[in-house]
Amino acid sequence: MATLGVGTQTSEQALASLSNMTCKVTPTQVDEYLQRIAKAQAYMQANNIDAIYLNAGSNLTYFTGMKWYASERMVGAILPAIGDVQYIAPYFEIGTLNGFKVIEGPIHGWQEHENPYALFVSVLKQLNINDNATIGIDESAQFFIFDGINKAQKGLNIINAQSVTAHCRMHKSVNELSLMQCAMDMTLAVHQATASMLYEGITTTEVEAFIKKAHQKVGAPGNYFCIVLFGVATSFPHGVKDPQVLKKGDMVLIDTGCKVHDYLSDITRTYVFGEPTMRQRMFWDHEKAAQLAAFNAAKIGATCEDVDAGARTYLAAQGLGPQYQTPGCPHRTGHGIGLDIHEWPYLVGGDKTPLAPGMCFSNEPMLVIPDEFGVRLEDHFYMTDNGPHWFTQPSYSIDDPFGLNA
């Protein structure tokens, strides 16, 4: 039988079925930024960290609300363990940055011919942070920033700030969860609309263009990312160089997401265009079962690697793998998500982080059958006091991926 919801309407009809879904969510407010700063400072004080440097990018945004891009110029903020945020930027950007400022604090400027790293050390001294202090550097900062600071300082103990940033960011607030829920709901609606407009002969490039329009229709700026694969190309987890043309019997893998007030969605659906073969059905069912095994292993106090092991134990029992070998699952079971598409912690062997309320993860123990096809079913869950909770319900079956006949 034909796969339910696949290839049932035109692209115009599919777009017409969508509407804006962002009206009930609220962006992060000043009070929440202040709570994040307070949490970070409490952790820093408890762990003898005198200050951290937040580089332009998601860490700067998370703690201060300031949105700025990382470039070859130092733009960021010093978050001291005690006291106010101190921004550092080129003089000529100060007027612009003031327009992006959410959390108050002085902006210390450096002229183009001056050394911003010497300014960084000078600001620390103004804060009474001495040469023997422990300073964390944003783990996402480019090496030249670390190198510049290291050459400008004398006696500082420079460490990775990830212990602070991850400690705060991996536990999502109620509002963060609501923003991510909205983004996930939007992308799932886009997935369903996309499946409905597929036809024999359509290219992956055309599908990507439709998904961009569909995300815009539900209220996003567009795709944050988009992977569309047909046939053998689905056996390459992150795609191939050249576009493909859809044929009857092809496995279809679509992995896409969008942003809602900076928070991300990331959902993958895999199904067959036409009648699935018994082999396609078998591996699709194994993928669904592996995803459920990972979900069932996600218990408060269990570790991230326990969740990964849940999926791999099931797959090994089916003769797949073992571990990261193919045919089987060649990559980790999942990743954290929030302001970044991949963030801490990770559902992978070796990550012994205990699961705790507010943590969010993808669940995608992809199956790769080399030279044939791949199957990835990706949904996300977040941890509650009572265990894991799906953001989106997993794909129902290979014949009815969106549960239209459930």
Side-chain angles (χ1 to χ4, degrees):
M1 67 177 180
T3 305
L4 280 173
V6 178
T8 57
Q9 57 185 348
T10 66
S11 60
E12 291 78 12
Q13 291 170 326
L15 281 176
S17 71
L18 300 171
S19 60
N20 192 299
M21 299 170 66
T22 64
C23 60
K24 294 183 180 180
V25 292
T26 303
T28 306
Q29 302 296 300
V30 171
D31 285 351
E32 186 163 350
Y33 289 120
L34 294 174
Q35 290 167 11
R36 294 171 180 178
I37 289 172
K39 182 177 181 179
Q41 290 181 320
Y43 182 90
M44 292 157 65
Q45 292 168 29
N47 290 275
N48 300 312
I49 300 170
D50 297 281
I52 61 172
Y53 169 70
L54 303 170
N55 197 45
S58 61
N59 277 327
L60 182 66
T61 300
Y62 179 83
F63 288 103
T64 73
M66 183 175 284
K67 299 175 186 177
W68 201 255
Y69 55 92
S71 72
E72 78 282 6
R73 293 184 174 93
M74 185 183 195
V75 176
I78 296 172
L79 175 58
I82 300 173
D84 298 329
V85 172
Q86 310 284 315
Y87 299 94
I88 293 179
Y91 266 113
F92 74 89
E93 298 284 24
I94 290 177
T96 304
L97 283 164
N98 273 321
F100 284 93
K101 190 188 289 184
V102 177
I103 297 300
E104 287 303 317
I107 301 179
H108 303 268
W110 52 277
Q111 299 287 9
E112 286 279 71
H113 68 288
E114 294 177 330
N115 185 332
Y117 316 111
L119 175 61
F120 175 88
V121 175
S122 174
V123 173
L124 291 180
K125 292 185 183 300
Q126 293 174 38
L127 296 170
N128 295 316
I129 297 175
N130 60 44
D131 288 341
N132 297 316
T134 296
I135 307 298
I137 304 298
D138 188 334
E139 69 279 10
S140 67
Q142 305 97 314
F143 175 77
F144 72 81
I145 290 178
F146 163 79
D147 189 50
I149 291 172
N150 198 36
K151 289 175 178 175
Q153 62 88 21
K154 293 180 180 179
L156 293 176
N157 176 30
I158 298 179
I159 64 170
N160 190 334
Q162 182 179 327
S163 62
V164 182
T165 57
H167 169 74
C168 296
R169 289 182 57 178
M170 72 171 65
H171 302 280
K172 269 60 179 184
S173 69
V174 171
N175 193 58
E176 286 179 289
L177 293 175
S178 70
L179 292 170
M180 294 169 66
Q181 183 67 67
C182 181
M184 298 289 185
D185 290 343
M186 290 161 62
T187 292
L188 187 59
V190 168
H191 265 290
Q192 185 170 337
T194 303
S196 75
M197 52 73 67
L198 297 179
Y199 59 88
E200 190 168 11
I202 195 171
T203 66
T204 52
T205 304
E206 290 172 312
V207 177
E208 290 165 5
F210 174 86
I211 292 173
K212 180 179 179 179
K213 291 179 182 177
H215 266 132
Q216 290 170 335
K217 189 77 185 293
V218 295
N223 304 329
Y224 179 73
F225 75 99
C226 188
I227 299 170
V228 180
L229 304 170
F230 300 152
V232 175
T234 62
S235 66
F236 295 85
H238 289 153
V240 295
K241 179 173 67 72
D242 297 319
Q244 307 99 55
V245 178
L246 186 61
K247 307 183 301 298
K248 286 285 187 184
D250 273 351
M251 196 71 84
V252 175
L253 188 156
I254 298 177
D255 184 354
T256 189
C258 69
K259 277 189 173 185
V260 174
H261 297 307
D262 302 314
Y263 283 83
L264 286 154
S265 61
D266 176 14
I267 299 175
T268 308
R269 288 291 179 263
T270 305
Y271 40 83
V272 173
F273 182 72
E275 179 67 25
T277 65
M278 291 302 296
R279 188 166 172 80
Q280 288 170 329
R281 289 180 186 278
M282 177 182 70
F283 284 111
W284 195 99
D285 288 343
H286 285 328
E287 169 71 358
K288 181 175 172 63
Q291 187 190 43
L292 181 60
F295 182 81
N296 289 338
K299 303 179 186 302
I300 294 294
T303 66
C304 288
E305 70 175 0
D306 289 338
V307 181
D308 183 73
R312 285 182 208 286
T313 298
Y314 167 80
L315 293 174
Q318 315 311 313
L320 296 168
Q323 294 301 317
Y324 298 87
Q325 297 178 44
T326 59
C329 177
H331 60 59
R332 63 195 174 207
T333 293
H335 55 78
I337 188 171
L339 290 176
D340 290 317
I341 197 72
H342 293 171
E343 59 180 54
W344 335 265
Y346 295 92
L347 303 180
V348 66
D351 192 327
K352 300 184 185 300
T353 306
L355 301 186
M359 290 183 176
C360 302
F361 300 98
S362 74
N363 185 349
E364 47 177 322
M366 179 180 184
L367 290 183
V368 170
I369 317 305
D371 302 319
E372 290 188 63
F373 56 81
V375 185
R376 181 161 71 241
L377 302 176
E378 178 186 11
D379 297 275
H380 289 64
F381 64 85
Y382 59 91
M383 297 303 296
T384 73
D385 291 331
N386 299 315
H389 182 87
W390 291 111
F391 279 105
T392 51
Q393 288 300 308
S395 196
Y396 188 72
S397 71
I398 194 170
D399 295 308
D400 188 10
F402 299 99
L404 298 180
N405 202 34

